[in-house]
PDB file of all heavy atoms in Angstrom:
ATOM      1  N   LEU A   1      96.547 -82.075 135.705  1.00  0.00           N
ATOM      2  CA  LEU A   1      95.212 -82.576 135.338  1.00  0.00           C
ATOM      3  C   LEU A   1      94.589 -81.727 134.213  1.00  0.00           C
ATOM      4  O   LEU A   1      93.883 -82.231 133.347  1.00  0.00           O
ATOM      5  CB  LEU A   1      94.287 -82.499 136.570  1.00  0.00           C
ATOM      6  CG  LEU A   1      94.010 -83.732 137.434  1.00  0.00           C
ATOM      7  CD1 LEU A   1      92.948 -83.381 138.443  1.00  0.00           C
ATOM      8  CD2 LEU A   1      93.650 -84.926 136.619  1.00  0.00           C
ATOM      9  N   LEU A   2      94.808 -80.431 134.329  1.00  0.00           N
ATOM     10  CA  LEU A   2      94.230 -79.503 133.336  1.00  0.00           C
ATOM     11  C   LEU A   2      95.127 -79.325 132.114  1.00  0.00           C
ATOM     12  O   LEU A   2      94.722 -78.675 131.139  1.00  0.00           O
ATOM     13  CB  LEU A   2      94.028 -78.098 133.980  1.00  0.00           C
ATOM     14  CG  LEU A   2      92.968 -78.025 135.076  1.00  0.00           C
ATOM     15  CD1 LEU A   2      92.864 -76.618 135.588  1.00  0.00           C
ATOM     16  CD2 LEU A   2      91.565 -78.532 134.568  1.00  0.00           C
ATOM     17  N   GLY A   3      96.338 -79.856 132.178  1.00  0.00           N
ATOM     18  CA  GLY A   3      97.268 -79.744 131.037  1.00  0.00           C
ATOM     19  C   GLY A   3      97.790 -78.332 130.875  1.00  0.00           C
ATOM     20  O   GLY A   3      97.901 -77.846 129.771  1.00  0.00           O
ATOM     21  N   VAL A   4      98.046 -77.670 131.994  1.00  0.00           N
ATOM     22  CA  VAL A   4      98.582 -76.320 131.932  1.00  0.00           C
ATOM     23  C   VAL A   4      99.830 -76.177 132.795  1.00  0.00           C
ATOM     24  O   VAL A   4     100.046 -76.986 133.674  1.00  0.00           O
ATOM     25  CB  VAL A   4      97.485 -75.221 132.346  1.00  0.00           C
ATOM     26  CG1 VAL A   4      96.338 -75.207 131.445  1.00  0.00           C
ATOM     27  CG2 VAL A   4      97.069 -75.484 133.796  1.00  0.00           C
ATOM     28  N   GLN A   5     100.557 -75.129 132.551  1.00  0.00           N
ATOM     29  CA  GLN A   5     101.761 -74.813 133.348  1.00  0.00           C
ATOM     30  C   GLN A   5     101.332 -74.055 134.558  1.00  0.00           C
ATOM     31  O   GLN A   5     100.387 -73.223 134.476  1.00  0.00           O
ATOM     32  CB  GLN A   5     102.763 -73.970 132.517  1.00  0.00           C
ATOM     33  CG  GLN A   5     103.404 -74.741 131.407  1.00  0.00           C
ATOM     34  CD  GLN A   5     104.164 -75.961 131.839  1.00  0.00           C
ATOM     35  OE1 GLN A   5     104.929 -75.953 132.817  1.00  0.00           O
ATOM     36  NE2 GLN A   5     103.915 -77.079 131.142  1.00  0.00           N
ATOM     37  N   PRO A   6     102.076 -74.135 135.728  1.00  0.00           N
ATOM     38  CA  PRO A   6     101.747 -73.268 136.908  1.00  0.00           C
ATOM     39  C   PRO A   6     101.682 -71.764 136.537  1.00  0.00           C
ATOM     40  O   PRO A   6     100.806 -71.087 137.058  1.00  0.00           O
ATOM     41  CB  PRO A   6     102.861 -73.643 137.858  1.00  0.00           C
ATOM     42  CG  PRO A   6     103.297 -74.972 137.467  1.00  0.00           C
ATOM     43  CD  PRO A   6     103.152 -75.065 136.013  1.00  0.00           C
ATOM     44  N   ALA A   7     102.559 -71.327 135.695  1.00  0.00           N
ATOM     45  CA  ALA A   7     102.623 -69.904 135.306  1.00  0.00           C
ATOM     46  C   ALA A   7     101.413 -69.478 134.550  1.00  0.00           C
ATOM     47  O   ALA A   7     101.215 -68.315 134.230  1.00  0.00           O
ATOM     48  CB  ALA A   7     103.906 -69.662 134.533  1.00  0.00           C
ATOM     49  N   GLU A   8     100.557 -70.417 134.151  1.00  0.00           N
ATOM     50  CA  GLU A   8      99.319 -70.030 133.408  1.00  0.00           C
ATOM     51  C   GLU A   8      98.106 -70.096 134.368  1.00  0.00           C
ATOM     52  O   GLU A   8      97.001 -69.826 133.883  1.00  0.00           O
ATOM     53  CB  GLU A   8      99.053 -71.066 132.255  1.00  0.00           C
ATOM     54  CG  GLU A   8     100.172 -71.087 131.188  1.00  0.00           C
ATOM     55  CD  GLU A   8      99.889 -72.217 130.218  1.00  0.00           C
ATOM     56  OE1 GLU A   8     100.196 -73.388 130.538  1.00  0.00           O
ATOM     57  OE2 GLU A   8      99.408 -71.940 129.137  1.00  0.00           O
ATOM     58  N   CYS A   9      98.316 -70.512 135.614  1.00  0.00           N
ATOM     59  CA  CYS A   9      97.222 -70.752 136.569  1.00  0.00           C
ATOM     60  C   CYS A   9      97.008 -69.586 137.548  1.00  0.00           C
ATOM     61  O   CYS A   9      97.936 -69.015 137.966  1.00  0.00           O
ATOM     62  CB  CYS A   9      97.569 -71.959 137.359  1.00  0.00           C
ATOM     63  SG  CYS A   9      96.704 -73.379 136.705  1.00  0.00           S
ATOM     64  N   VAL A  10      95.785 -69.368 137.854  1.00  0.00           N
ATOM     65  CA  VAL A  10      95.408 -68.417 138.929  1.00  0.00           C
ATOM     66  C   VAL A  10      94.671 -69.122 140.036  1.00  0.00           C
ATOM     67  O   VAL A  10      93.758 -69.952 139.774  1.00  0.00           O
ATOM     68  CB  VAL A  10      94.473 -67.314 138.295  1.00  0.00           C
ATOM     69  CG1 VAL A  10      94.014 -66.362 139.396  1.00  0.00           C
ATOM     70  CG2 VAL A  10      95.172 -66.557 137.205  1.00  0.00           C
ATOM     71  N   MET A  11      95.074 -68.917 141.300  1.00  0.00           N
ATOM     72  CA  MET A  11      94.396 -69.504 142.428  1.00  0.00           C
ATOM     73  C   MET A  11      93.527 -68.488 143.051  1.00  0.00           C
ATOM     74  O   MET A  11      93.938 -67.386 143.405  1.00  0.00           O
ATOM     75  CB  MET A  11      95.505 -69.928 143.421  1.00  0.00           C
ATOM     76  CG  MET A  11      94.926 -70.533 144.714  1.00  0.00           C
ATOM     77  SD  MET A  11      94.041 -72.071 144.413  1.00  0.00           S
ATOM     78  CE  MET A  11      93.253 -72.332 145.983  1.00  0.00           C
ATOM     79  N   VAL A  12      92.239 -68.870 143.318  1.00  0.00           N
ATOM     80  CA  VAL A  12      91.295 -67.994 143.993  1.00  0.00           C
ATOM     81  C   VAL A  12      90.853 -68.740 145.238  1.00  0.00           C
ATOM     82  O   VAL A  12      90.463 -69.897 145.215  1.00  0.00           O
ATOM     83  CB  VAL A  12      89.994 -67.793 143.088  1.00  0.00           C
ATOM     84  CG1 VAL A  12      89.080 -66.789 143.786  1.00  0.00           C
ATOM     85  CG2 VAL A  12      90.469 -67.271 141.719  1.00  0.00           C
ATOM     86  N   GLY A  13      90.975 -68.092 146.385  1.00  0.00           N
ATOM     87  CA  GLY A  13      90.557 -68.708 147.686  1.00  0.00           C
ATOM     88  C   GLY A  13      90.437 -67.770 148.797  1.00  0.00           C
ATOM     89  O   GLY A  13      90.885 -66.593 148.753  1.00  0.00           O
ATOM     90  N   ASP A  14      89.781 -68.211 149.884  1.00  0.00           N
ATOM     91  CA  ASP A  14      89.492 -67.310 151.002  1.00  0.00           C
ATOM     92  C   ASP A  14      90.492 -67.483 152.145  1.00  0.00           C
ATOM     93  O   ASP A  14      90.381 -66.857 153.165  1.00  0.00           O
ATOM     94  CB  ASP A  14      88.068 -67.494 151.490  1.00  0.00           C
ATOM     95  CG  ASP A  14      87.784 -68.861 152.030  1.00  0.00           C
ATOM     96  OD1 ASP A  14      88.698 -69.757 151.972  1.00  0.00           O
ATOM     97  OD2 ASP A  14      86.701 -69.105 152.514  1.00  0.00           O
ATOM     98  N   SER A  15      91.433 -68.439 152.044  1.00  0.00           N
ATOM     99  CA  SER A  15      92.358 -68.668 153.114  1.00  0.00           C
ATOM    100  C   SER A  15      93.750 -68.213 152.719  1.00  0.00           C
ATOM    101  O   SER A  15      94.301 -68.692 151.726  1.00  0.00           O
ATOM    102  CB  SER A  15      92.425 -70.168 153.444  1.00  0.00           C
ATOM    103  OG  SER A  15      93.610 -70.431 154.165  1.00  0.00           O
ATOM    104  N   LEU A  16      94.310 -67.269 153.520  1.00  0.00           N
ATOM    105  CA  LEU A  16      95.665 -66.809 153.232  1.00  0.00           C
ATOM    106  C   LEU A  16      96.690 -67.892 153.454  1.00  0.00           C
ATOM    107  O   LEU A  16      97.619 -68.066 152.663  1.00  0.00           O
ATOM    108  CB  LEU A  16      96.017 -65.602 154.160  1.00  0.00           C
ATOM    109  CG  LEU A  16      95.363 -64.235 153.799  1.00  0.00           C
ATOM    110  CD1 LEU A  16      95.657 -63.204 154.886  1.00  0.00           C
ATOM    111  CD2 LEU A  16      95.853 -63.729 152.498  1.00  0.00           C
ATOM    112  N   ASP A  17      96.485 -68.692 154.494  1.00  0.00           N
ATOM    113  CA  ASP A  17      97.411 -69.771 154.878  1.00  0.00           C
ATOM    114  C   ASP A  17      97.546 -70.933 153.867  1.00  0.00           C
ATOM    115  O   ASP A  17      98.598 -71.379 153.573  1.00  0.00           O
ATOM    116  CB  ASP A  17      97.084 -70.418 156.223  1.00  0.00           C
ATOM    117  CG  ASP A  17      97.186 -69.347 157.341  1.00  0.00           C
ATOM    118  OD1 ASP A  17      97.874 -68.369 157.129  1.00  0.00           O
ATOM    119  OD2 ASP A  17      96.477 -69.499 158.349  1.00  0.00           O
ATOM    120  N   THR A  18      96.343 -71.322 153.325  1.00  0.00           N
ATOM    121  CA  THR A  18      96.382 -72.484 152.446  1.00  0.00           C
ATOM    122  C   THR A  18      96.299 -72.097 150.948  1.00  0.00           C
ATOM    123  O   THR A  18      97.071 -72.564 150.140  1.00  0.00           O
ATOM    124  CB  THR A  18      95.276 -73.497 152.771  1.00  0.00           C
ATOM    125  OG1 THR A  18      94.014 -72.811 152.637  1.00  0.00           O
ATOM    126  CG2 THR A  18      95.384 -74.059 154.151  1.00  0.00           C
ATOM    127  N   ASP A  19      95.326 -71.241 150.614  1.00  0.00           N
ATOM    128  CA  ASP A  19      95.068 -70.956 149.192  1.00  0.00           C
ATOM    129  C   ASP A  19      96.150 -69.968 148.666  1.00  0.00           C
ATOM    130  O   ASP A  19      96.760 -70.254 147.648  1.00  0.00           O
ATOM    131  CB  ASP A  19      93.696 -70.257 149.058  1.00  0.00           C
ATOM    132  CG  ASP A  19      92.539 -71.179 149.462  1.00  0.00           C
ATOM    133  OD1 ASP A  19      92.720 -72.370 149.281  1.00  0.00           O
ATOM    134  OD2 ASP A  19      91.568 -70.714 150.064  1.00  0.00           O
ATOM    135  N   ILE A  20      96.333 -68.872 149.342  1.00  0.00           N
ATOM    136  CA  ILE A  20      97.268 -67.859 148.835  1.00  0.00           C
ATOM    137  C   ILE A  20      98.702 -68.302 148.981  1.00  0.00           C
ATOM    138  O   ILE A  20      99.450 -68.305 148.042  1.00  0.00           O
ATOM    139  CB  ILE A  20      96.998 -66.476 149.524  1.00  0.00           C
ATOM    140  CG1 ILE A  20      95.523 -66.069 149.316  1.00  0.00           C
ATOM    141  CG2 ILE A  20      97.950 -65.403 148.966  1.00  0.00           C
ATOM    142  CD1 ILE A  20      94.996 -66.065 147.899  1.00  0.00           C
ATOM    143  N   GLN A  21      99.041 -68.749 150.208  1.00  0.00           N
ATOM    144  CA  GLN A  21     100.417 -69.243 150.411  1.00  0.00           C
ATOM    145  C   GLN A  21     100.691 -70.441 149.449  1.00  0.00           C
ATOM    146  O   GLN A  21     101.747 -70.483 148.933  1.00  0.00           O
ATOM    147  CB  GLN A  21     100.543 -69.726 151.870  1.00  0.00           C
ATOM    148  CG  GLN A  21     101.990 -70.041 152.251  1.00  0.00           C
ATOM    149  CD  GLN A  21     102.911 -68.865 152.160  1.00  0.00           C
ATOM    150  OE1 GLN A  21     102.736 -67.856 152.840  1.00  0.00           O
ATOM    151  NE2 GLN A  21     103.898 -68.931 151.234  1.00  0.00           N
ATOM    152  N   GLY A  22      99.719 -71.311 149.293  1.00  0.00           N
ATOM    153  CA  GLY A  22      99.878 -72.413 148.381  1.00  0.00           C
ATOM    154  C   GLY A  22     100.123 -72.022 146.957  1.00  0.00           C
ATOM    155  O   GLY A  22     101.017 -72.556 146.306  1.00  0.00           O
ATOM    156  N   GLY A  23      99.338 -71.063 146.492  1.00  0.00           N
ATOM    157  CA  GLY A  23      99.496 -70.534 145.137  1.00  0.00           C
ATOM    158  C   GLY A  23     100.864 -69.926 144.925  1.00  0.00           C
ATOM    159  O   GLY A  23     101.491 -70.144 143.884  1.00  0.00           O
ATOM    160  N   LEU A  24     101.314 -69.233 145.953  1.00  0.00           N
ATOM    161  CA  LEU A  24     102.673 -68.594 145.874  1.00  0.00           C
ATOM    162  C   LEU A  24     103.759 -69.664 145.898  1.00  0.00           C
ATOM    163  O   LEU A  24     104.668 -69.654 145.150  1.00  0.00           O
ATOM    164  CB  LEU A  24     102.840 -67.603 147.031  1.00  0.00           C
ATOM    165  CG  LEU A  24     101.941 -66.367 147.072  1.00  0.00           C
ATOM    166  CD1 LEU A  24     102.082 -65.656 148.367  1.00  0.00           C
ATOM    167  CD2 LEU A  24     102.233 -65.416 145.883  1.00  0.00           C
ATOM    168  N   ASN A  25     103.607 -70.637 146.794  1.00  0.00           N
ATOM    169  CA  ASN A  25     104.547 -71.790 146.912  1.00  0.00           C
ATOM    170  C   ASN A  25     104.738 -72.475 145.556  1.00  0.00           C
ATOM    171  O   ASN A  25     105.787 -72.944 145.219  1.00  0.00           O
ATOM    172  CB  ASN A  25     104.127 -72.799 147.880  1.00  0.00           C
ATOM    173  CG  ASN A  25     104.160 -72.319 149.350  1.00  0.00           C
ATOM    174  OD1 ASN A  25     104.688 -71.226 149.590  1.00  0.00           O
ATOM    175  ND2 ASN A  25     103.620 -73.063 150.266  1.00  0.00           N
ATOM    176  N   ALA A  26     103.572 -72.621 144.833  1.00  0.00           N
ATOM    177  CA  ALA A  26     103.550 -73.438 143.636  1.00  0.00           C
ATOM    178  C   ALA A  26     104.020 -72.609 142.388  1.00  0.00           C
ATOM    179  O   ALA A  26     104.135 -73.169 141.294  1.00  0.00           O
ATOM    180  CB  ALA A  26     102.163 -74.008 143.418  1.00  0.00           C
ATOM    181  N   GLY A  27     104.291 -71.337 142.599  1.00  0.00           N
ATOM    182  CA  GLY A  27     104.705 -70.471 141.474  1.00  0.00           C
ATOM    183  C   GLY A  27     103.642 -70.219 140.461  1.00  0.00           C
ATOM    184  O   GLY A  27     103.868 -70.153 139.249  1.00  0.00           O
ATOM    185  N   LEU A  28     102.404 -70.095 140.910  1.00  0.00           N
ATOM    186  CA  LEU A  28     101.325 -69.795 139.957  1.00  0.00           C
ATOM    187  C   LEU A  28     101.391 -68.366 139.455  1.00  0.00           C
ATOM    188  O   LEU A  28     102.052 -67.512 140.045  1.00  0.00           O
ATOM    189  CB  LEU A  28      99.981 -70.032 140.626  1.00  0.00           C
ATOM    190  CG  LEU A  28      99.658 -71.400 141.266  1.00  0.00           C
ATOM    191  CD1 LEU A  28      98.208 -71.578 141.632  1.00  0.00           C
ATOM    192  CD2 LEU A  28     100.060 -72.542 140.277  1.00  0.00           C
ATOM    193  N   LYS A  29     100.676 -68.093 138.367  1.00  0.00           N
ATOM    194  CA  LYS A  29     100.691 -66.758 137.709  1.00  0.00           C
ATOM    195  C   LYS A  29     100.202 -65.686 138.682  1.00  0.00           C
ATOM    196  O   LYS A  29     100.833 -64.644 138.818  1.00  0.00           O
ATOM    197  CB  LYS A  29      99.788 -66.800 136.459  1.00  0.00           C
ATOM    198  CG  LYS A  29      99.598 -65.407 135.830  1.00  0.00           C
ATOM    199  CD  LYS A  29      99.138 -65.521 134.427  1.00  0.00           C
ATOM    200  CE  LYS A  29      97.599 -65.486 134.326  1.00  0.00           C
ATOM    201  NZ  LYS A  29      97.142 -65.491 132.920  1.00  0.00           N
ATOM    202  N   ALA A  30      99.117 -65.986 139.401  1.00  0.00           N
ATOM    203  CA  ALA A  30      98.614 -65.011 140.331  1.00  0.00           C
ATOM    204  C   ALA A  30      97.749 -65.674 141.410  1.00  0.00           C
ATOM    205  O   ALA A  30      97.260 -66.754 141.229  1.00  0.00           O
ATOM    206  CB  ALA A  30      97.755 -63.971 139.578  1.00  0.00           C
ATOM    207  N   THR A  31      97.543 -64.949 142.538  1.00  0.00           N
ATOM    208  CA  THR A  31      96.672 -65.407 143.579  1.00  0.00           C
ATOM    209  C   THR A  31      95.628 -64.317 143.831  1.00  0.00           C
ATOM    210  O   THR A  31      95.960 -63.126 143.887  1.00  0.00           O
ATOM    211  CB  THR A  31      97.493 -65.666 144.918  1.00  0.00           C
ATOM    212  OG1 THR A  31      98.193 -64.470 145.228  1.00  0.00           O
ATOM    213  CG2 THR A  31      98.445 -66.804 144.762  1.00  0.00           C
ATOM    214  N   VAL A  32      94.377 -64.770 144.031  1.00  0.00           N
ATOM    215  CA  VAL A  32      93.284 -63.835 144.301  1.00  0.00           C
ATOM    216  C   VAL A  32      92.662 -64.225 145.593  1.00  0.00           C
ATOM    217  O   VAL A  32      92.176 -65.340 145.780  1.00  0.00           O
ATOM    218  CB  VAL A  32      92.221 -63.857 143.166  1.00  0.00           C
ATOM    219  CG1 VAL A  32      91.126 -62.908 143.430  1.00  0.00           C
ATOM    220  CG2 VAL A  32      92.867 -63.576 141.798  1.00  0.00           C
ATOM    221  N   TRP A  33      92.690 -63.335 146.579  1.00  0.00           N
ATOM    222  CA  TRP A  33      92.167 -63.624 147.935  1.00  0.00           C
ATOM    223  C   TRP A  33      90.766 -63.112 148.002  1.00  0.00           C
ATOM    224  O   TRP A  33      90.468 -61.890 147.804  1.00  0.00           O
ATOM    225  CB  TRP A  33      93.034 -62.940 149.008  1.00  0.00           C
ATOM    226  CG  TRP A  33      92.588 -63.216 150.367  1.00  0.00           C
ATOM    227  CD1 TRP A  33      92.157 -64.395 150.839  1.00  0.00           C
ATOM    228  CD2 TRP A  33      92.613 -62.317 151.501  1.00  0.00           C
ATOM    229  NE1 TRP A  33      91.849 -64.316 152.235  1.00  0.00           N
ATOM    230  CE2 TRP A  33      92.158 -63.046 152.630  1.00  0.00           C
ATOM    231  CE3 TRP A  33      92.983 -60.983 151.648  1.00  0.00           C
ATOM    232  CZ2 TRP A  33      92.054 -62.469 153.911  1.00  0.00           C
ATOM    233  CZ3 TRP A  33      92.886 -60.401 152.916  1.00  0.00           C
ATOM    234  CH2 TRP A  33      92.405 -61.169 154.002  1.00  0.00           C
ATOM    235  N   LEU A  34      89.853 -64.008 148.326  1.00  0.00           N
ATOM    236  CA  LEU A  34      88.431 -63.636 148.579  1.00  0.00           C
ATOM    237  C   LEU A  34      88.306 -63.266 150.059  1.00  0.00           C
ATOM    238  O   LEU A  34      88.353 -64.121 150.901  1.00  0.00           O
ATOM    239  CB  LEU A  34      87.501 -64.847 148.205  1.00  0.00           C
ATOM    240  CG  LEU A  34      86.032 -64.667 148.531  1.00  0.00           C
ATOM    241  CD1 LEU A  34      85.410 -63.464 147.818  1.00  0.00           C
ATOM    242  CD2 LEU A  34      85.256 -65.937 148.189  1.00  0.00           C
ATOM    243  N   ASN A  35      88.184 -61.972 150.299  1.00  0.00           N
ATOM    244  CA  ASN A  35      88.095 -61.460 151.691  1.00  0.00           C
ATOM    245  C   ASN A  35      86.738 -60.817 151.837  1.00  0.00           C
ATOM    246  O   ASN A  35      86.587 -59.605 151.645  1.00  0.00           O
ATOM    247  CB  ASN A  35      89.286 -60.425 151.891  1.00  0.00           C
ATOM    248  CG  ASN A  35      89.187 -59.799 153.249  1.00  0.00           C
ATOM    249  OD1 ASN A  35      88.518 -60.255 154.159  1.00  0.00           O
ATOM    250  ND2 ASN A  35      89.997 -58.755 153.430  1.00  0.00           N
ATOM    251  N   LYS A  36      85.751 -61.638 152.203  1.00  0.00           N
ATOM    252  CA  LYS A  36      84.319 -61.151 152.235  1.00  0.00           C
ATOM    253  C   LYS A  36      84.156 -59.979 153.191  1.00  0.00           C
ATOM    254  O   LYS A  36      83.450 -59.042 152.929  1.00  0.00           O
ATOM    255  CB  LYS A  36      83.407 -62.299 152.623  1.00  0.00           C
ATOM    256  CG  LYS A  36      83.149 -63.206 151.473  1.00  0.00           C
ATOM    257  CD  LYS A  36      82.082 -64.305 151.865  1.00  0.00           C
ATOM    258  CE  LYS A  36      81.943 -65.266 150.691  1.00  0.00           C
ATOM    259  NZ  LYS A  36      81.385 -66.512 151.227  1.00  0.00           N
ATOM    260  N   ALA A  37      84.859 -60.074 154.314  1.00  0.00           N
ATOM    261  CA  ALA A  37      84.736 -59.021 155.381  1.00  0.00           C
ATOM    262  C   ALA A  37      85.466 -57.754 154.911  1.00  0.00           C
ATOM    263  O   ALA A  37      85.201 -56.698 155.448  1.00  0.00           O
ATOM    264  CB  ALA A  37      85.246 -59.489 156.667  1.00  0.00           C
ATOM    265  N   MET A  38      86.352 -57.838 153.983  1.00  0.00           N
ATOM    266  CA  MET A  38      87.234 -56.749 153.516  1.00  0.00           C
ATOM    267  C   MET A  38      87.942 -56.120 154.710  1.00  0.00           C
ATOM    268  O   MET A  38      88.142 -54.903 154.821  1.00  0.00           O
ATOM    269  CB  MET A  38      86.427 -55.699 152.710  1.00  0.00           C
ATOM    270  CG  MET A  38      86.339 -56.046 151.270  1.00  0.00           C
ATOM    271  SD  MET A  38      87.817 -56.805 150.483  1.00  0.00           S
ATOM    272  CE  MET A  38      88.323 -55.554 149.301  1.00  0.00           C
ATOM    273  N   THR A  39      88.297 -56.899 155.709  1.00  0.00           N
ATOM    274  CA  THR A  39      89.078 -56.464 156.870  1.00  0.00           C
ATOM    275  C   THR A  39      90.533 -56.610 156.470  1.00  0.00           C
ATOM    276  O   THR A  39      90.969 -57.502 155.788  1.00  0.00           O
ATOM    277  CB  THR A  39      88.795 -57.272 158.116  1.00  0.00           C
ATOM    278  OG1 THR A  39      88.814 -58.658 157.731  1.00  0.00           O
ATOM    279  CG2 THR A  39      87.382 -57.004 158.663  1.00  0.00           C
ATOM    280  N   THR A  40      91.321 -55.739 156.994  1.00  0.00           N
ATOM    281  CA  THR A  40      92.776 -55.830 156.758  1.00  0.00           C
ATOM    282  C   THR A  40      93.297 -56.836 157.783  1.00  0.00           C
ATOM    283  O   THR A  40      93.137 -56.712 158.973  1.00  0.00           O
ATOM    284  CB  THR A  40      93.477 -54.464 157.013  1.00  0.00           C
ATOM    285  OG1 THR A  40      92.655 -53.471 156.449  1.00  0.00           O
ATOM    286  CG2 THR A  40      94.857 -54.444 156.365  1.00  0.00           C
ATOM    287  N   PRO A  41      94.031 -57.940 157.239  1.00  0.00           N
ATOM    288  CA  PRO A  41      94.531 -58.910 158.196  1.00  0.00           C
ATOM    289  C   PRO A  41      95.621 -58.294 159.053  1.00  0.00           C
ATOM    290  O   PRO A  41      96.343 -57.412 158.631  1.00  0.00           O
ATOM    291  CB  PRO A  41      95.074 -59.953 157.299  1.00  0.00           C
ATOM    292  CG  PRO A  41      95.284 -59.364 155.972  1.00  0.00           C
ATOM    293  CD  PRO A  41      94.331 -58.184 155.904  1.00  0.00           C
ATOM    294  N   VAL A  42      95.721 -58.758 160.328  1.00  0.00           N
ATOM    295  CA  VAL A  42      96.739 -58.297 161.233  1.00  0.00           C
ATOM    296  C   VAL A  42      98.078 -58.602 160.632  1.00  0.00           C
ATOM    297  O   VAL A  42      98.985 -57.764 160.587  1.00  0.00           O
ATOM    298  CB  VAL A  42      96.543 -58.944 162.596  1.00  0.00           C
ATOM    299  CG1 VAL A  42      97.542 -58.338 163.597  1.00  0.00           C
ATOM    300  CG2 VAL A  42      95.094 -58.832 163.078  1.00  0.00           C
ATOM    301  N   ASP A  43      98.204 -59.839 160.217  1.00  0.00           N
ATOM    302  CA  ASP A  43      99.470 -60.303 159.616  1.00  0.00           C
ATOM    303  C   ASP A  43      99.281 -60.245 158.102  1.00  0.00           C
ATOM    304  O   ASP A  43      98.500 -60.980 157.568  1.00  0.00           O
ATOM    305  CB  ASP A  43      99.773 -61.721 160.128  1.00  0.00           C
ATOM    306  CG  ASP A  43     100.981 -62.286 159.465  1.00  0.00           C
ATOM    307  OD1 ASP A  43     101.808 -61.525 158.924  1.00  0.00           O
ATOM    308  OD2 ASP A  43     101.144 -63.519 159.484  1.00  0.00           O
ATOM    309  N   THR A  44      99.985 -59.410 157.437  1.00  0.00           N
ATOM    310  CA  THR A  44      99.752 -59.221 155.988  1.00  0.00           C
ATOM    311  C   THR A  44     100.588 -60.183 155.124  1.00  0.00           C
ATOM    312  O   THR A  44     100.737 -59.954 153.912  1.00  0.00           O
ATOM    313  CB  THR A  44     100.068 -57.798 155.548  1.00  0.00           C
ATOM    314  OG1 THR A  44     101.319 -57.382 156.125  1.00  0.00           O
ATOM    315  CG2 THR A  44      99.018 -56.824 155.949  1.00  0.00           C
TER     316      THR A  44
END
């Protein structure tokens, strides 16, 4: 839709399961996790 390659894209989101995992699955350039609580997740 944006006319870009996955390797040019950055995913920003607050869900490790959908946003971060999804960005990694899709081979994006980088993933940025919004962790408002700044707590360390049990499962990293």
